[in-house]
PDB file of all heavy atoms in Angstrom:
ATOM      1  N   LYS A  19      87.113  90.319  96.494  1.00  0.00           N
ATOM      2  CA  LYS A  19      86.038  90.995  97.266  1.00  0.00           C
ATOM      3  C   LYS A  19      85.268  92.055  96.493  1.00  0.00           C
ATOM      4  O   LYS A  19      84.153  92.374  96.935  1.00  0.00           O
ATOM      5  CB  LYS A  19      86.690  91.642  98.478  1.00  0.00           C
ATOM      6  CG  LYS A  19      87.352  90.669  99.434  1.00  0.00           C
ATOM      7  CD  LYS A  19      88.171  91.340 100.513  1.00  0.00           C
ATOM      8  CE  LYS A  19      87.369  92.202 101.380  1.00  0.00           C
ATOM      9  NZ  LYS A  19      88.195  92.817 102.485  1.00  0.00           N
ATOM     10  N   TYR A  20      85.763  92.524  95.370  1.00  0.00           N
ATOM     11  CA  TYR A  20      85.133  93.643  94.716  1.00  0.00           C
ATOM     12  C   TYR A  20      84.732  93.323  93.264  1.00  0.00           C
ATOM     13  O   TYR A  20      85.574  92.654  92.571  1.00  0.00           O
ATOM     14  CB  TYR A  20      86.062  94.865  94.727  1.00  0.00           C
ATOM     15  CG  TYR A  20      86.344  95.367  96.198  1.00  0.00           C
ATOM     16  CD1 TYR A  20      87.486  94.801  96.850  1.00  0.00           C
ATOM     17  CD2 TYR A  20      85.541  96.213  96.792  1.00  0.00           C
ATOM     18  CE1 TYR A  20      87.763  95.178  98.167  1.00  0.00           C
ATOM     19  CE2 TYR A  20      85.834  96.591  98.134  1.00  0.00           C
ATOM     20  CZ  TYR A  20      86.939  96.063  98.793  1.00  0.00           C
ATOM     21  OH  TYR A  20      87.184  96.460 100.089  1.00  0.00           O
ATOM     22  N   PRO A  21      83.615  93.709  92.817  1.00  0.00           N
ATOM     23  CA  PRO A  21      83.157  93.370  91.454  1.00  0.00           C
ATOM     24  C   PRO A  21      83.999  94.106  90.447  1.00  0.00           C
ATOM     25  O   PRO A  21      84.519  95.205  90.668  1.00  0.00           O
ATOM     26  CB  PRO A  21      81.679  93.794  91.436  1.00  0.00           C
ATOM     27  CG  PRO A  21      81.597  94.911  92.485  1.00  0.00           C
ATOM     28  CD  PRO A  21      82.579  94.514  93.572  1.00  0.00           C
ATOM     29  N   ARG A  22      84.087  93.512  89.246  1.00  0.00           N
ATOM     30  CA  ARG A  22      84.818  94.129  88.177  1.00  0.00           C
ATOM     31  C   ARG A  22      84.437  93.533  86.830  1.00  0.00           C
ATOM     32  O   ARG A  22      83.846  92.426  86.771  1.00  0.00           O
ATOM     33  CB  ARG A  22      86.360  94.053  88.378  1.00  0.00           C
ATOM     34  CG  ARG A  22      87.043  92.751  88.064  1.00  0.00           C
ATOM     35  CD  ARG A  22      86.949  91.719  89.227  1.00  0.00           C
ATOM     36  NE  ARG A  22      87.285  92.154  90.527  1.00  0.00           N
ATOM     37  CZ  ARG A  22      88.463  92.085  91.111  1.00  0.00           C
ATOM     38  NH1 ARG A  22      89.506  91.601  90.438  1.00  0.00           N
ATOM     39  NH2 ARG A  22      88.622  92.450  92.356  1.00  0.00           N
ATOM     40  N   THR A  23      84.764  94.200  85.733  1.00  0.00           N
ATOM     41  CA  THR A  23      84.665  93.668  84.391  1.00  0.00           C
ATOM     42  C   THR A  23      86.078  93.350  83.935  1.00  0.00           C
ATOM     43  O   THR A  23      87.082  93.810  84.530  1.00  0.00           O
ATOM     44  CB  THR A  23      84.004  94.647  83.451  1.00  0.00           C
ATOM     45  OG1 THR A  23      84.842  95.863  83.349  1.00  0.00           O
ATOM     46  CG2 THR A  23      82.602  95.060  83.929  1.00  0.00           C
ATOM     47  N   PRO A  24      86.204  92.583  82.812  1.00  0.00           N
ATOM     48  CA  PRO A  24      87.574  92.237  82.376  1.00  0.00           C
ATOM     49  C   PRO A  24      88.440  93.391  81.894  1.00  0.00           C
ATOM     50  O   PRO A  24      89.641  93.252  81.820  1.00  0.00           O
ATOM     51  CB  PRO A  24      87.333  91.252  81.232  1.00  0.00           C
ATOM     52  CG  PRO A  24      85.937  90.747  81.390  1.00  0.00           C
ATOM     53  CD  PRO A  24      85.219  91.882  82.054  1.00  0.00           C
ATOM     54  N   GLY A  25      87.811  94.545  81.584  1.00  0.00           N
ATOM     55  CA  GLY A  25      88.591  95.681  81.140  1.00  0.00           C
ATOM     56  C   GLY A  25      88.785  95.638  79.619  1.00  0.00           C
ATOM     57  O   GLY A  25      88.130  94.898  78.862  1.00  0.00           O
ATOM     58  N   TRP A  26      89.812  96.334  79.147  1.00  0.00           N
ATOM     59  CA  TRP A  26      90.045  96.456  77.743  1.00  0.00           C
ATOM     60  C   TRP A  26      91.539  96.702  77.421  1.00  0.00           C
ATOM     61  O   TRP A  26      92.270  97.241  78.273  1.00  0.00           O
ATOM     62  CB  TRP A  26      89.155  97.592  77.156  1.00  0.00           C
ATOM     63  CG  TRP A  26      89.543  98.955  77.621  1.00  0.00           C
ATOM     64  CD1 TRP A  26      90.367  99.833  77.000  1.00  0.00           C
ATOM     65  CD2 TRP A  26      89.135  99.592  78.844  1.00  0.00           C
ATOM     66  NE1 TRP A  26      90.448 100.994  77.706  1.00  0.00           N
ATOM     67  CE2 TRP A  26      89.697 100.856  78.845  1.00  0.00           C
ATOM     68  CE3 TRP A  26      88.295  99.165  79.905  1.00  0.00           C
ATOM     69  CZ2 TRP A  26      89.523 101.766  79.874  1.00  0.00           C
ATOM     70  CZ3 TRP A  26      88.125 100.089  80.960  1.00  0.00           C
ATOM     71  CH2 TRP A  26      88.708 101.356  80.964  1.00  0.00           C
ATOM     72  N   ARG A  27      91.959  96.326  76.200  1.00  0.00           N
ATOM     73  CA  ARG A  27      93.278  96.634  75.800  1.00  0.00           C
ATOM     74  C   ARG A  27      93.298  98.061  75.204  1.00  0.00           C
ATOM     75  O   ARG A  27      92.467  98.415  74.384  1.00  0.00           O
ATOM     76  CB  ARG A  27      93.727  95.670  74.673  1.00  0.00           C
ATOM     77  CG  ARG A  27      95.195  95.857  74.311  1.00  0.00           C
ATOM     78  CD  ARG A  27      95.568  94.984  73.165  1.00  0.00           C
ATOM     79  NE  ARG A  27      95.587  93.584  73.513  1.00  0.00           N
ATOM     80  CZ  ARG A  27      96.634  92.947  74.097  1.00  0.00           C
ATOM     81  NH1 ARG A  27      97.710  93.660  74.449  1.00  0.00           N
ATOM     82  NH2 ARG A  27      96.589  91.693  74.401  1.00  0.00           N
ATOM     83  N   PRO A  28      94.174  98.875  75.720  1.00  0.00           N
ATOM     84  CA  PRO A  28      94.182 100.374  75.288  1.00  0.00           C
ATOM     85  C   PRO A  28      94.560 100.454  73.803  1.00  0.00           C
ATOM     86  O   PRO A  28      95.368  99.657  73.257  1.00  0.00           O
ATOM     87  CB  PRO A  28      95.194 100.956  76.202  1.00  0.00           C
ATOM     88  CG  PRO A  28      96.155  99.873  76.592  1.00  0.00           C
ATOM     89  CD  PRO A  28      95.274  98.642  76.654  1.00  0.00           C
ATOM     90  N   THR A  29      94.033 101.467  73.175  1.00  0.00           N
ATOM     91  CA  THR A  29      94.411 101.768  71.800  1.00  0.00           C
ATOM     92  C   THR A  29      95.749 102.498  71.807  1.00  0.00           C
ATOM     93  O   THR A  29      96.212 103.049  72.799  1.00  0.00           O
ATOM     94  CB  THR A  29      93.347 102.664  71.137  1.00  0.00           C
ATOM     95  OG1 THR A  29      93.319 103.936  71.818  1.00  0.00           O
ATOM     96  CG2 THR A  29      91.966 102.028  71.193  1.00  0.00           C
ATOM     97  N   SER A  30      96.396 102.506  70.636  1.00  0.00           N
ATOM     98  CA  SER A  30      97.684 103.230  70.580  1.00  0.00           C
ATOM     99  C   SER A  30      97.537 104.719  70.815  1.00  0.00           C
ATOM    100  O   SER A  30      98.407 105.356  71.380  1.00  0.00           O
ATOM    101  CB  SER A  30      98.305 102.990  69.175  1.00  0.00           C
ATOM    102  OG  SER A  30      97.399 103.395  68.145  1.00  0.00           O
ATOM    103  N   GLU A  31      96.357 105.245  70.422  1.00  0.00           N
ATOM    104  CA  GLU A  31      96.158 106.716  70.727  1.00  0.00           C
ATOM    105  C   GLU A  31      96.097 106.998  72.233  1.00  0.00           C
ATOM    106  O   GLU A  31      96.508 108.085  72.680  1.00  0.00           O
ATOM    107  CB  GLU A  31      94.819 107.144  70.052  1.00  0.00           C
ATOM    108  CG  GLU A  31      94.834 107.169  68.515  1.00  0.00           C
ATOM    109  CD  GLU A  31      94.672 105.780  67.934  1.00  0.00           C
ATOM    110  OE1 GLU A  31      94.325 104.833  68.685  1.00  0.00           O
ATOM    111  OE2 GLU A  31      94.980 105.612  66.735  1.00  0.00           O
ATOM    112  N   ASP A  32      95.558 106.043  72.971  1.00  0.00           N
ATOM    113  CA  ASP A  32      95.465 106.273  74.411  1.00  0.00           C
ATOM    114  C   ASP A  32      96.707 105.690  75.160  1.00  0.00           C
ATOM    115  O   ASP A  32      96.747 105.738  76.386  1.00  0.00           O
ATOM    116  CB  ASP A  32      94.257 105.479  74.961  1.00  0.00           C
ATOM    117  CG  ASP A  32      92.929 106.095  74.447  1.00  0.00           C
ATOM    118  OD1 ASP A  32      92.901 107.309  74.156  1.00  0.00           O
ATOM    119  OD2 ASP A  32      91.983 105.309  74.305  1.00  0.00           O
ATOM    120  N   ASN A  33      97.670 105.243  74.429  1.00  0.00           N
ATOM    121  CA  ASN A  33      98.811 104.573  75.070  1.00  0.00           C
ATOM    122  C   ASN A  33     100.107 104.880  74.226  1.00  0.00           C
ATOM    123  O   ASN A  33     100.770 104.004  73.749  1.00  0.00           O
ATOM    124  CB  ASN A  33      98.580 103.063  75.060  1.00  0.00           C
ATOM    125  CG  ASN A  33      99.440 102.293  76.008  1.00  0.00           C
ATOM    126  OD1 ASN A  33     100.029 102.889  76.951  1.00  0.00           O
ATOM    127  ND2 ASN A  33      99.648 101.030  75.772  1.00  0.00           N
ATOM    128  N   PRO A  34     100.450 106.180  74.160  1.00  0.00           N
ATOM    129  CA  PRO A  34     101.476 106.617  73.188  1.00  0.00           C
ATOM    130  C   PRO A  34     102.868 106.014  73.449  1.00  0.00           C
ATOM    131  O   PRO A  34     103.616 105.783  72.520  1.00  0.00           O
ATOM    132  CB  PRO A  34     101.485 108.141  73.409  1.00  0.00           C
ATOM    133  CG  PRO A  34     100.898 108.402  74.736  1.00  0.00           C
ATOM    134  CD  PRO A  34      99.844 107.361  74.898  1.00  0.00           C
ATOM    135  N   LEU A  35     103.216 105.750  74.682  1.00  0.00           N
ATOM    136  CA  LEU A  35     104.530 105.160  74.964  1.00  0.00           C
ATOM    137  C   LEU A  35     104.461 103.674  75.334  1.00  0.00           C
ATOM    138  O   LEU A  35     105.439 103.077  75.779  1.00  0.00           O
ATOM    139  CB  LEU A  35     105.195 105.939  76.060  1.00  0.00           C
ATOM    140  CG  LEU A  35     105.625 107.383  75.744  1.00  0.00           C
ATOM    141  CD1 LEU A  35     106.260 108.078  76.960  1.00  0.00           C
ATOM    142  CD2 LEU A  35     106.520 107.444  74.581  1.00  0.00           C
ATOM    143  N   ASN A  36     103.247 103.105  75.156  1.00  0.00           N
ATOM    144  CA  ASN A  36     103.063 101.691  75.396  1.00  0.00           C
ATOM    145  C   ASN A  36     103.195 101.266  76.835  1.00  0.00           C
ATOM    146  O   ASN A  36     103.552 100.123  77.170  1.00  0.00           O
ATOM    147  CB  ASN A  36     103.991 100.856  74.501  1.00  0.00           C
ATOM    148  CG  ASN A  36     103.482  99.464  74.208  1.00  0.00           C
ATOM    149  OD1 ASN A  36     102.286  99.258  74.032  1.00  0.00           O
ATOM    150  ND2 ASN A  36     104.347  98.490  74.247  1.00  0.00           N
ATOM    151  N   ALA A  37     102.917 102.201  77.798  1.00  0.00           N
ATOM    152  CA  ALA A  37     103.138 101.948  79.160  1.00  0.00           C
ATOM    153  C   ALA A  37     102.005 101.127  79.806  1.00  0.00           C
ATOM    154  O   ALA A  37     102.207 100.508  80.822  1.00  0.00           O
ATOM    155  CB  ALA A  37     103.279 103.264  79.948  1.00  0.00           C
ATOM    156  N   TRP A  38     100.805 101.145  79.203  1.00  0.00           N
ATOM    157  CA  TRP A  38      99.726 100.307  79.725  1.00  0.00           C
ATOM    158  C   TRP A  38      99.772  98.950  78.978  1.00  0.00           C
ATOM    159  O   TRP A  38      99.953  98.890  77.801  1.00  0.00           O
ATOM    160  CB  TRP A  38      98.380 100.917  79.398  1.00  0.00           C
ATOM    161  CG  TRP A  38      97.934 102.095  80.233  1.00  0.00           C
ATOM    162  CD1 TRP A  38      97.823 103.387  79.775  1.00  0.00           C
ATOM    163  CD2 TRP A  38      97.583 102.120  81.618  1.00  0.00           C
ATOM    164  NE1 TRP A  38      97.364 104.230  80.808  1.00  0.00           N
ATOM    165  CE2 TRP A  38      97.235 103.480  81.929  1.00  0.00           C
ATOM    166  CE3 TRP A  38      97.494 101.111  82.585  1.00  0.00           C
ATOM    167  CZ2 TRP A  38      96.810 103.832  83.195  1.00  0.00           C
ATOM    168  CZ3 TRP A  38      97.077 101.518  83.851  1.00  0.00           C
ATOM    169  CH2 TRP A  38      96.761 102.842  84.160  1.00  0.00           C
ATOM    170  N   TYR A  39      99.571  97.893  79.738  1.00  0.00           N
ATOM    171  CA  TYR A  39      99.324  96.582  79.102  1.00  0.00           C
ATOM    172  C   TYR A  39      97.799  96.378  78.955  1.00  0.00           C
ATOM    173  O   TYR A  39      97.326  95.990  77.915  1.00  0.00           O
ATOM    174  CB  TYR A  39      99.926  95.431  79.919  1.00  0.00           C
ATOM    175  CG  TYR A  39      99.295  94.094  79.602  1.00  0.00           C
ATOM    176  CD1 TYR A  39      99.286  93.623  78.279  1.00  0.00           C
ATOM    177  CD2 TYR A  39      98.677  93.361  80.562  1.00  0.00           C
ATOM    178  CE1 TYR A  39      98.689  92.425  77.969  1.00  0.00           C
ATOM    179  CE2 TYR A  39      98.076  92.123  80.283  1.00  0.00           C
ATOM    180  CZ  TYR A  39      98.081  91.642  78.974  1.00  0.00           C
ATOM    181  OH  TYR A  39      97.498  90.459  78.644  1.00  0.00           O
ATOM    182  N   TRP A  40      97.067  96.708  80.005  1.00  0.00           N
ATOM    183  CA  TRP A  40      95.627  96.477  80.024  1.00  0.00           C
ATOM    184  C   TRP A  40      94.989  97.565  80.865  1.00  0.00           C
ATOM    185  O   TRP A  40      95.577  98.000  81.842  1.00  0.00           O
ATOM    186  CB  TRP A  40      95.299  95.103  80.605  1.00  0.00           C
ATOM    187  CG  TRP A  40      94.001  94.555  80.192  1.00  0.00           C
ATOM    188  CD1 TRP A  40      92.812  94.637  80.907  1.00  0.00           C
ATOM    189  CD2 TRP A  40      93.676  93.835  79.005  1.00  0.00           C
ATOM    190  NE1 TRP A  40      91.772  94.034  80.240  1.00  0.00           N
ATOM    191  CE2 TRP A  40      92.295  93.483  79.048  1.00  0.00           C
ATOM    192  CE3 TRP A  40      94.405  93.446  77.864  1.00  0.00           C
ATOM    193  CZ2 TRP A  40      91.638  92.824  78.019  1.00  0.00           C
ATOM    194  CZ3 TRP A  40      93.755  92.799  76.880  1.00  0.00           C
ATOM    195  CH2 TRP A  40      92.420  92.406  76.912  1.00  0.00           C
ATOM    196  N   ARG A  41      93.788  97.955  80.460  1.00  0.00           N
ATOM    197  CA  ARG A  41      93.034  98.976  81.249  1.00  0.00           C
ATOM    198  C   ARG A  41      91.846  98.323  81.898  1.00  0.00           C
ATOM    199  O   ARG A  41      91.272  97.365  81.371  1.00  0.00           O
ATOM    200  CB  ARG A  41      92.589 100.129  80.360  1.00  0.00           C
ATOM    201  CG  ARG A  41      93.651 100.972  79.752  1.00  0.00           C
ATOM    202  CD  ARG A  41      94.505 101.700  80.819  1.00  0.00           C
ATOM    203  NE  ARG A  41      93.688 102.348  81.806  1.00  0.00           N
ATOM    204  CZ  ARG A  41      93.183 103.549  81.632  1.00  0.00           C
ATOM    205  NH1 ARG A  41      93.374 104.220  80.508  1.00  0.00           N
ATOM    206  NH2 ARG A  41      92.464 104.139  82.617  1.00  0.00           N
ATOM    207  N   CYS A  42      91.482  98.818  83.049  1.00  0.00           N
ATOM    208  CA  CYS A  42      90.283  98.345  83.785  1.00  0.00           C
ATOM    209  C   CYS A  42      89.846  99.429  84.731  1.00  0.00           C
ATOM    210  O   CYS A  42      90.478 100.518  84.828  1.00  0.00           O
ATOM    211  CB  CYS A  42      90.537  97.079  84.497  1.00  0.00           C
ATOM    212  SG  CYS A  42      91.828  97.171  85.788  1.00  0.00           S
ATOM    213  N   GLU A  43      88.746  99.251  85.396  1.00  0.00           N
ATOM    214  CA  GLU A  43      88.253 100.227  86.331  1.00  0.00           C
ATOM    215  C   GLU A  43      87.645  99.433  87.491  1.00  0.00           C
ATOM    216  O   GLU A  43      86.447  99.074  87.498  1.00  0.00           O
ATOM    217  CB  GLU A  43      87.191 101.109  85.658  1.00  0.00           C
ATOM    218  CG  GLU A  43      86.884 102.358  86.413  1.00  0.00           C
ATOM    219  CD  GLU A  43      87.925 103.504  86.270  1.00  0.00           C
ATOM    220  OE1 GLU A  43      88.814 103.323  85.407  1.00  0.00           O
ATOM    221  OE2 GLU A  43      87.831 104.456  87.019  1.00  0.00           O
ATOM    222  N   ILE A  44      88.440  99.118  88.490  1.00  0.00           N
ATOM    223  CA  ILE A  44      87.986  98.315  89.619  1.00  0.00           C
ATOM    224  C   ILE A  44      87.941  99.223  90.843  1.00  0.00           C
ATOM    225  O   ILE A  44      89.009  99.631  91.343  1.00  0.00           O
ATOM    226  CB  ILE A  44      88.893  97.104  89.848  1.00  0.00           C
ATOM    227  CG1 ILE A  44      89.041  96.233  88.597  1.00  0.00           C
ATOM    228  CG2 ILE A  44      88.321  96.270  91.027  1.00  0.00           C
ATOM    229  CD1 ILE A  44      90.012  95.154  88.694  1.00  0.00           C
ATOM    230  N   GLU A  45      86.752  99.537  91.311  1.00  0.00           N
ATOM    231  CA  GLU A  45      86.611 100.381  92.445  1.00  0.00           C
ATOM    232  C   GLU A  45      86.609  99.640  93.728  1.00  0.00           C
ATOM    233  O   GLU A  45      85.993  98.565  93.830  1.00  0.00           O
ATOM    234  CB  GLU A  45      85.304 101.178  92.322  1.00  0.00           C
ATOM    235  CG  GLU A  45      85.265 102.152  91.137  1.00  0.00           C
ATOM    236  CD  GLU A  45      84.021 103.041  91.128  1.00  0.00           C
ATOM    237  OE1 GLU A  45      83.264 102.980  92.119  1.00  0.00           O
ATOM    238  OE2 GLU A  45      83.875 103.805  90.153  1.00  0.00           O
ATOM    239  N   GLY A  46      87.331 100.188  94.672  1.00  0.00           N
ATOM    240  CA  GLY A  46      87.416  99.557  96.009  1.00  0.00           C
ATOM    241  C   GLY A  46      86.358 100.013  96.960  1.00  0.00           C
ATOM    242  O   GLY A  46      85.287 100.413  96.578  1.00  0.00           O
ATOM    243  N   ALA A  47      86.731 100.001  98.255  1.00  0.00           N
ATOM    244  CA  ALA A  47      85.787 100.352  99.280  1.00  0.00           C
ATOM    245  C   ALA A  47      85.286 101.783  99.136  1.00  0.00           C
ATOM    246  O   ALA A  47      85.948 102.654  98.479  1.00  0.00           O
ATOM    247  CB  ALA A  47      86.426 100.152 100.661  1.00  0.00           C
ATOM    248  N   SER A  48      84.168 102.100  99.754  1.00  0.00           N
ATOM    249  CA  SER A  48      83.583 103.420  99.653  1.00  0.00           C
ATOM    250  C   SER A  48      84.347 104.487 100.328  1.00  0.00           C
ATOM    251  O   SER A  48      84.141 105.746 100.174  1.00  0.00           O
ATOM    252  CB  SER A  48      82.127 103.387 100.162  1.00  0.00           C
ATOM    253  OG  SER A  48      82.115 102.983 101.522  1.00  0.00           O
ATOM    254  N   GLY A  49      85.259 104.108 101.234  1.00  0.00           N
ATOM    255  CA  GLY A  49      86.118 105.065 101.895  1.00  0.00           C
ATOM    256  C   GLY A  49      87.427 104.411 102.303  1.00  0.00           C
ATOM    257  O   GLY A  49      87.594 103.198 102.145  1.00  0.00           O
ATOM    258  N   GLY A  50      88.375 105.193 102.769  1.00  0.00           N
ATOM    259  CA  GLY A  50      89.710 104.639 103.146  1.00  0.00           C
ATOM    260  C   GLY A  50      90.789 105.639 102.811  1.00  0.00           C
ATOM    261  O   GLY A  50      90.584 106.637 102.148  1.00  0.00           O
ATOM    262  N   PRO A  51      92.010 105.328 103.263  1.00  0.00           N
ATOM    263  CA  PRO A  51      93.144 106.278 103.099  1.00  0.00           C
ATOM    264  C   PRO A  51      93.561 106.477 101.631  1.00  0.00           C
ATOM    265  O   PRO A  51      94.268 107.441 101.364  1.00  0.00           O
ATOM    266  CB  PRO A  51      94.270 105.580 103.879  1.00  0.00           C
ATOM    267  CG  PRO A  51      93.814 104.115 103.977  1.00  0.00           C
ATOM    268  CD  PRO A  51      92.388 104.143 104.011  1.00  0.00           C
TER     269      PRO A  51
END
């Protein structure tokens, strides 16, 4: 239902403990809980 881009693989500097597999920024509805 919501637009998005494929995102990106985080760099080691942004992912020091390797906890992210992939980064993205998918925004949902304009309001909500």
Side-chain angles (χ1 to χ4, degrees):
K19 300 170 60 176
Y20 299 89
R22 79 278 312 267
T23 62
W26 66 97
R27 186 184 292 277
T29 64
S30 56
E31 291 78 14
D32 295 330
N33 197 21
L35 293 179
N36 205 38
W38 287 111
Y39 160 56
W40 202 264
R41 295 297 312 277
C42 61
E43 196 77 12
I44 305 174
E45 294 187 6
S48 59

